[in-house]
Amino acid sequence: MDGKKTGMKTFAVASGKGGTGKTMLSANLAASLALDGRPVTVLDADLGLANADIAMGLNPEVTLKHVVRGQAELKDTLIEGPAGLRLIPGGSSVAELAGMGTDQIIGLIDRVKQLCRPDEWLIIDAAAGIHDTVMAFLTSADEVCLICTPDPSSLIDAYATAKQLGRLRPTLPIAVIVNQTDSQRHGVLVFERLKLICGQFLSTDLRYAGAVRRDDGVVAATRMRRLILLEDPSNPAAQDIEDAAGMLFHHRLPDRRDDNLIDKFKAAFKKTA
Ligand SMILES: Nc1ncnc2c1ncn2[C@@H]1O[C@H](COP(=O)(O)OP(=O)(O)O)[C@@H](O)[C@H]1O
Ligand SMILES: [Mg+2]
């Protein structure tokens, strides 16, 4: 439990590559905040291919599709989800959404922020890639959380995203969660590799925000349209997500790891502090 509440903050969950776990993590990380008593809204910003509602087991009647078509107000899209978090659902297979320009997106984000309460945190579940519209969402955030996997192409795409972010907003903080790892240690190694690539070519510094192990429980929860954090909090991946939430949102190191690993975590933390 964090205890103190600070003002509004926006985190954008991103990755160069698709399928890294952005939606799964956006939803579960938001649920972790909600369980802590934090007002939190998830904005499904994977325009045209939105699926955060599916991940959360929701069936919204009003989505961003209706807003873009002038058929509904933005506030009408807000729907309550697991653990009391709120979701602004995107629309799927909607050409108008996929074709939104940067200015329209900046306007949309402003309106979303106005809808949030003063101490609410906004989690933007972004689309993959480094298209201008994706970058408009990412650069609107207070911090970007890059999701990468141990897959080499995911690392290269994460690097490309960090590079583009560094170009557009050099002061934007970037945290990294390594998803689908074999172990916690594996996550630190992957992060160090990414940091090395970025350090050689970018001025952008990266902050470690944890590793989430690959686990069949996550797959099963996804199929049931439930969140692993709520479905089975003792699941290894669910525990990893809790630890990652502590690191990402509260800059708090996990306390249930072995000493050796904590040293590695601390080293990863320190280099980026
Ligand atoms: N740590 C994990 N362990 C097992 N499966 C995972 C894990 N993270 C994500 N997945 C699975 O990978 C798939 C893609 O995840 P998703 O969150 O939709 O990715 P993205 O939003 O980046 O495209 C989903 O089926 C999800 O259940
Ligand atoms: Mg997604």
Side-chain angles (χ1 to χ4, degrees):
M1 186 74 76
D2 183 29
K4 66 181 187 308
K5 297 269 177 278
T6 49
M8 207 203 142
K9 259 191 198 165
T10 307
F11 295 85
V13 178
S15 71
K17 197 173 182 291
T20 56
K22 292 178 297 300
T23 299
M24 188 281 287
L25 286 168
S26 297
N28 281 282
L29 289 167
S32 166
L33 285 175
L35 288 174
D36 258 3
R38 157 81 54 194
V40 55
T41 289
V42 175
L43 169 64
D44 191 344
D46 197 346
L47 300 178
L49 291 171
N51 60 3
D53 54 335
I54 296 172
M56 293 179 193
L58 302 171
N59 300 300
E61 281 172 17
V62 184
T63 70
L64 286 179
K65 171 180 81 177
H66 300 94
V67 177
V68 170
R69 289 183 176 167
Q71 296 162 340
E73 299 281 328
L74 187 62
K75 65 174 171 35
D76 302 328
T77 63
L78 272 172
I79 180 170
E80 186 169 327
L85 66 80
R86 305 197 296 174
L87 172 70
I88 298 181
S92 275
S93 315
V94 187
E96 295 101 306
L97 281 172
M100 271 171 90
T102 308
D103 288 349
Q104 269 178 295
I105 285 173
I106 291 169
L108 173 73
I109 298 165
D110 275 351
R111 285 188 290 146
V112 169
K113 287 183 178 173
Q114 279 162 26
L115 273 187
C116 290
R117 285 163 274 188
D119 62 342
E120 184 148 11
W121 285 3
L122 177 66
I123 312 288
I124 301 178
D125 176 17
I130 53 171
H131 191 272
D132 286 353
T133 52
V134 178
M135 287 297 148
F137 281 112
L138 303 192
T139 53
S140 76
D142 296 307
E143 183 157 11
V144 167
C145 177
L146 264 185
I147 311 299
C148 72
T149 71
D151 178 355
S153 66
S154 161
L155 284 185
I156 298 301
D157 292 349
Y159 164 70
T161 309
K163 185 173 168 185
Q164 186 66 355
L165 286 171
R167 236 184 239 148
L168 295 170
R169 232 189 103 190
T171 57
L172 181 62
I174 304 177
V176 175
I177 295 179
V178 186
N179 189 26
Q180 304 189 33
T181 64
D182 296 337
S183 64
Q184 282 290 327
R185 198 175 302 275
H186 187 201
V188 176
L189 293 176
V190 171
F191 171 72
E192 283 174 348
R193 208 173 310 144
L194 176 62
K195 205 170 144 59
L196 196 71
I197 306 171
C198 289
Q200 276 170 358
F201 303 106
L202 304 179
S203 57
T204 313
D205 205 4
L206 305 177
R207 171 168 88 85
Y208 189 58
V212 177
R213 283 166 283 180
R214 191 183 331 100
D215 192 283
D216 286 345
V218 177
V219 179
T222 304
R223 285 201 189 126
M224 287 189 299
R225 302 180 63 195
R226 304 243 173 86
L227 302 187
I228 187 72
L229 202 72
L230 306 175
E231 192 62 16
D232 183 8
S234 63
N235 173 282
Q239 297 213 338
D240 292 344
I241 292 169
E242 274 295 2
D243 288 348
M247 293 171 94
L248 176 65
F249 298 126
H250 309 301
H251 294 246
R252 188 176 60 210
L253 281 168
D255 55 11
R256 53 171 170 259
R257 302 289 172 214
D258 64 78
D259 289 348
N260 197 358
L261 194 55
I262 286 294
D263 285 346
K264 278 215 153 267
F265 269 57
K266 280 187 183 147
F269 242 51
K270 225 181 260 152
K271 276 184 247 162
T272 59

